[in-house]
Structure formats: structure tokens, C-alpha cells
Amino acid sequence: MASPQGSRAPLEFGGPLGAAVLMLLLPATMFHLLLVARSGPARLLGPPPYLPGPEVLWSPEMLLLWFTWLGLQAALYLLPAGKVAEGQELKDKSRLRYPINGNPIYDFFLGRELNPRIWSFDFKYFCELRPGLIGWVLINLALLMQEAELRGSPSLAMWLVNGFQLLYVGDALWHEEAVLTTMDITHDGFGFMLAFGDLAWVPFTYSLQAQFLLHHPQPLGLPMASVICLINAVGYYIFRGANSQKSIFRKNPSDPRVAGLETIPTATGRQLLVSGWWGMVRHPNYLGDLIMALAWSLPCGVSHLLPYFYLLYFTALLVHREARDEQQCLRKYGLAWHEYCRRVPYRILPYVY
């Protein structure tokens, strides 16, 4: 008699049809944003004023530069420097996964392999932080230098955007080990979604505010700049405080910094935090992320919607990711998760959502 099988998780992102739509929509959206950011009207919802010809879209030199950049980052990744950290126990209990059936479009979008590797080179882990995030900072810096050439010096707004986003990327690289516990590493396969997102979407759309400011300079006085800096500082304080508290607790629940926090036991042997940052809302790190996203857009003024695309997109992304995480935690922790939701009723924004 065949052994009983667990219930199969529902398809995400709208299944094969949704995956096909997203594989067309995401590159088109990125292309649209790059065009409208340098146009006069800079309309987020309007059509781009022109479509560049093939000679603009294709450059062997740029392709060679891109592969050189990836090769440099891969070489740095393989250098025998720094400590080696162990990741979370994967959902397959560290055994290789061999899916028997599936939809080719859906599998291409999400990825069939959880952690594709060649020897010690982990493609997903490499792409998650290095080429895209560092590339994002370099694009910002190039835009800042180009503004200095055009106008004599970078604007205060451009300095703030560069500084805020450099802090964010620097934090991610400094706390690189934390990425091992994220949904991208432990749950999602390495397919179009992560590859395109890491290598193209992140550097070229996350730099949208700097691109906008280069072509649409905005006046920004010191009082307003101080307010924006305060908003970013609050967001970063929540983001870093929540992530650090979770990381410390996972490594050593007896650490004096987290030993006094209240927890709920689960059938898996793990404990769920119900005090501290994680007793305020279920995803306090997302709240900090969104506050910082607002601070990155405010230096661009309020005359255009385009610089706020990142805030709108990131809100939708985190709400969707939070919903996926809720379903996974419910399947994993069962009754303990129901109790956690009762004790911590708000998901991201206290008293609102």
C-alpha cells in the first residue's frame, strides 16, 4: 500500500498563467520605468514618450561589462575569506529534491531546484546579495557623479537618496548571514523570479529615485531634509532592531538580550516570540522597511508619482510575502500559530493591519 502523502501546497503567484504574465510584465515594467524616469513628464502611469531603437538596446560592450561584473563578484564570492555559516534546515531536510511532475512555465518562473550549486558555488545565495545590491549602489553613485558634472555639484536630495540606500545595502552585506533564514533561501526555488529580480529588477528599479533626480532636480531645504533623515532613522531603527532581536534569539535563546522575552512553544520544538519587537506586530521588520522606503522617495518631492513607485511596489510585495509566510507558518506550527496570531493580532502596521 502506498504511503500517505502530505497535503500539497497550493500554487503561488496565480499558478502557470500568473507566472507567464509576470515573466512578461516585470521586464516590461522595468523598461517602462527606465524610459519615463528620463522623460520630461515623468508619468508613472502614462506611456513613455519614445521607444529606443535596437542600436540603443543592444551593446556588445555593455554585455561584456555586465559579464565582467558578474565574474568579478563570483571571484570575490569564492575567495577563502571570512567564516562559513550554516543555513537553516531546509524544508527537504537537506536532501536533494526530485520533483516528478510540474508545469514548465510555473517551474521556470519559481525554479525547480531549491539551492542549485556547482561545488561550493551556490547560485541563489550569490545572486541574492552581491551583483544586484552592489550594482544598485554603483548605479546610484554614477548618477550622483553625472549630476555633479551637469550642475557643478550633487543636490542635497541626491546625497540623501545615495546615503540612505548605501546604508541599507551596507547593512545587508554586514549582516549577510541573516539572508540564510529568509524565504528566498529556505523556500523559493531559483528560477526566473529570483534571477531576474536579483540581477536586473533590483539594480535598475531600486535606483529609480536617483534616476528621477538626475533628470528632474528637486529643491530641498535643510529643515525638510532633517525631517526626512529622522523618518529614515526611525525606519532603520525598527528594521535593524527587529531583525537583530530575531537573529540573536535564533542563535541563542539564553542570550541576556533576549532571555526575558515571552515565547510560545510549538510542536516543532521552536519557540515563537510574543514580546519585544515581535510582540508589537508579526512582521516589524517589514514596517521598518516601508518607513525607509517612504524616506527614500520624499527627497524627490511630491509633484510626481514616479519616485514613489518603489514604495507602492514594495508595499504590495511585502503584503503578498506576509500572506505567503502566514500560510507557511500555519502549516508548520498549527495551533501554536493560531495562538500567536491571537496574541499579536496586527501583521505589519499596529492598529491598522
Side-chain angles (χ1 to χ4, degrees), residues 164 167 227-238 291-292 295:
F164 293 161
L167 171 66
V227 172
I228 296 172
C229 286
L230 179 61
I231 293 172
N232 191 74
V234 170
Y236 181 74
Y237 177 75
I238 296 172
I291 294 173
M292 285 190 288

Side-chain angles (χ1 to χ4, degrees), residues 16-27 105:
L17 178 60
V21 171
L22 285 172
M23 283 191 286
L24 295 174
L25 182 63
L26 290 175
I105 296 176

